[in-house]
Amino acid sequence: MRFQRRAAAVGLIAAGALLFSACGSDGGGEGQGGQAAPGGVACGGKESLRASGSSAQANAITRFVTNFEGACEGQTLNYTPSGSGAGRNEFIGGQTDFAGSDSALSDAEVATAQARCASPAWNLPLVFGPIAVAYNVPGLQALNLDGATIAAIFNGTITTWNDPRIAALNQGAALPANPIVVNFRSDESGTTQNFQRYLNAASNNAYGKEAEQTFQGGVGAGARGSQGVADATKNTPNSITYVEASFAQRGGLGIANVINSGGGQPVALSPETVGNAINGVRVSGQGNDLKLDLNSLYTASAPNAYPIALATYEIVCSNYADDQTAQGVKAFLSASLTDQAQQGLPEAGYVPLPAQFKQRLTDAVNAIQ
């Protein structure tokens, strides 16, 4: 099973389907003794945890597991990136110890998850990955866009690069009169769904399309996977796409600065600016159920807050029937929140959790029974 988890994650990396630790360097753990390893992680509990779900977080989970194994001798997590829907179903069906998901439990799933747990299930947003608006316009060194303009590009309302609405945000830039080529994900994708949620929220629903896992904009050319849209944009002058930040960076694409809903200065994408937006996100769940009000992320208005990011949850039981499982899940999640685990994320295209948000997650993890 450990090989299955790692092979699946490596396959995803090779396909380019992933985005832009934990107490390993803090020293060895105490194995199954239930004592705290250096770094504050209480090891112990179930030796081999099972989880499945979101492929968007798979590379982060692989990093977390490596550090978990180094800190808590004899313990591991076998994670299968089978997709968010499958992950939720397998957790609700009792096949796994927790689920990874690009979406929180739906209203219909809350009751069945509670029946599986014999307690409320909690949505814990552990991994965030920024989504870049990436472009290839020869000679254009920088591009500023706001939510309404991005939405108008991706639903086909704005069709040329020198459109007055783009020009107004880019004073003095040499914008060509060429048509805009939109590249979109042709496969089902949590990135597509979250990006379209952003387009609706940031444009006051002027995007006018449902936020499905398939692109609904009705314009442009499709390419499969994150690497596919990045390559299509790299190879097509005057094109634009949405893609996880690491793919845009590796492809040498331009990344648009985004003017958030506060209407201030354009904000460049970076771990710090995405972290600023995460710190301002509201929680719509109750107590330690940290289901997010994602509209509050997409409509971030704080200065220097980049508002386009995908959040993935770990869905857990608040009170496991088996104490060993509860202790193992707490150990893994606690290890994933250590400084070393978080600091290793940017090179893979994820964002370290800002301190304020991490503390709230830590409190919720510590409350698992």
Side-chain angles (χ1 to χ4, degrees):
M1 287 296 293
R2 187 180 304 181
F3 175 81
Q4 177 190 15
R5 180 259 302 165
R6 285 182 174 163
V10 169
L12 282 168
I13 296 168
L18 297 175
L19 303 177
F20 169 74
S21 298
C23 32
S25 73
D26 293 327
E30 293 295 333
Q32 302 305 303
Q35 300 180 27
V41 178
C43 298
K46 189 174 181 179
E47 290 186 355
S48 183
L49 297 168
R50 294 185 61 210
S52 65
S54 167
S55 62
Q57 69 169 6
N59 198 25
I61 294 293
T62 298
R63 289 166 179 264
F64 293 161
V65 170
T66 298
N67 286 277
F68 177 48
E69 291 172 342
C72 296
E73 183 178 354
Q75 292 188 256
T76 190
L77 165 70
N78 300 304
Y79 185 80
T80 303
S82 52
S84 296
R88 294 194 303 275
N89 288 337
E90 289 162 3
F91 170 71
I92 289 169
Q95 299 164 257
T96 56
D97 300 312
F98 65 90
S101 178
D102 297 342
S103 301
L105 290 168
S106 68
D107 292 342
E109 291 170 326
V110 167
T112 52
Q114 180 160 342
R116 174 262 195 264
C117 292
S119 66
W122 290 343
N123 302 279
L124 304 181
L126 181 65
V127 180
F128 289 81
I131 300 173
V133 179
Y135 65 94
N136 173 8
V137 181
L140 188 62
Q141 300 302 312
L143 178 65
N144 303 322
L145 297 171
D146 59 18
T149 306
I150 299 170
I153 291 171
F154 282 90
N155 71 8
T157 302
I158 291 177
T159 60
T160 61
W161 282 105
N162 66 345
D163 184 282
R165 284 165 287 187
I166 299 178
L169 302 175
N170 295 273
Q171 297 289 334
L175 297 168
N178 297 319
I180 298 173
V181 179
V182 170
N183 293 315
F184 62 85
R185 289 278 294 269
S186 60
D187 54 325
E188 292 190 356
S189 164
T191 303
T192 297
Q193 185 172 48
N194 279 269
F195 182 65
Q196 293 185 117
R197 286 171 177 164
Y198 163 76
L199 294 179
N200 280 321
S203 69
N204 291 318
N205 292 314
Y207 177 59
K209 310 290 182 180
E210 292 295 324
E212 305 288 349
Q213 290 206 350
T214 53
F215 182 68
Q216 302 294 306
V219 63
R224 185 170 183 80
S226 301
Q227 193 65 56
V229 293
D231 288 344
T233 303
K234 183 176 181 178
N235 295 327
T236 308
N238 302 306
S239 63
I240 193 167
T241 193
Y242 58 92
V243 69
E244 293 90 339
S246 60
F247 288 89
Q249 292 164 345
R250 288 200 298 267
L253 299 173
I255 297 177
N257 305 315
V258 175
I259 301 168
N260 67 31
S261 293
Q265 295 298 310
V267 180
L269 188 160
S270 73
E272 292 74 24
T273 59
V274 178
N276 290 338
I278 294 170
N279 260 340
V281 71
R282 292 192 294 273
V283 173
S284 61
Q286 300 298 311
N288 288 314
D289 175 20
L290 303 185
K291 177 180 179 181
L292 301 178
D293 172 6
L294 288 172
N295 277 1
S296 67
L297 174 67
Y298 304 141
T299 59
S301 59
N304 213 30
Y306 182 90
I308 319 176
L310 181 151
T312 62
Y313 296 89
E314 313 317 315
I315 299 174
V316 304
C317 294
S318 58
N319 192 338
Y320 284 87
D322 174 21
D323 289 342
Q324 291 294 295
T325 301
Q327 187 176 355
V329 170
K330 287 178 69 171
F332 171 74
L333 295 176
S334 296
S336 302
L337 290 168
T338 60
D339 288 344
Q340 181 180 338
Q342 293 293 309
Q343 289 167 359
L345 293 178
E347 63 192 71
Y350 302 94
V351 176
L353 295 169
Q356 178 180 330
F357 192 85
K358 186 167 72 171
Q359 184 58 55
R360 187 158 189 181
L361 265 176
T362 299
D363 291 344
V365 169
N366 287 340
I368 295 172
Q369 299 180 19

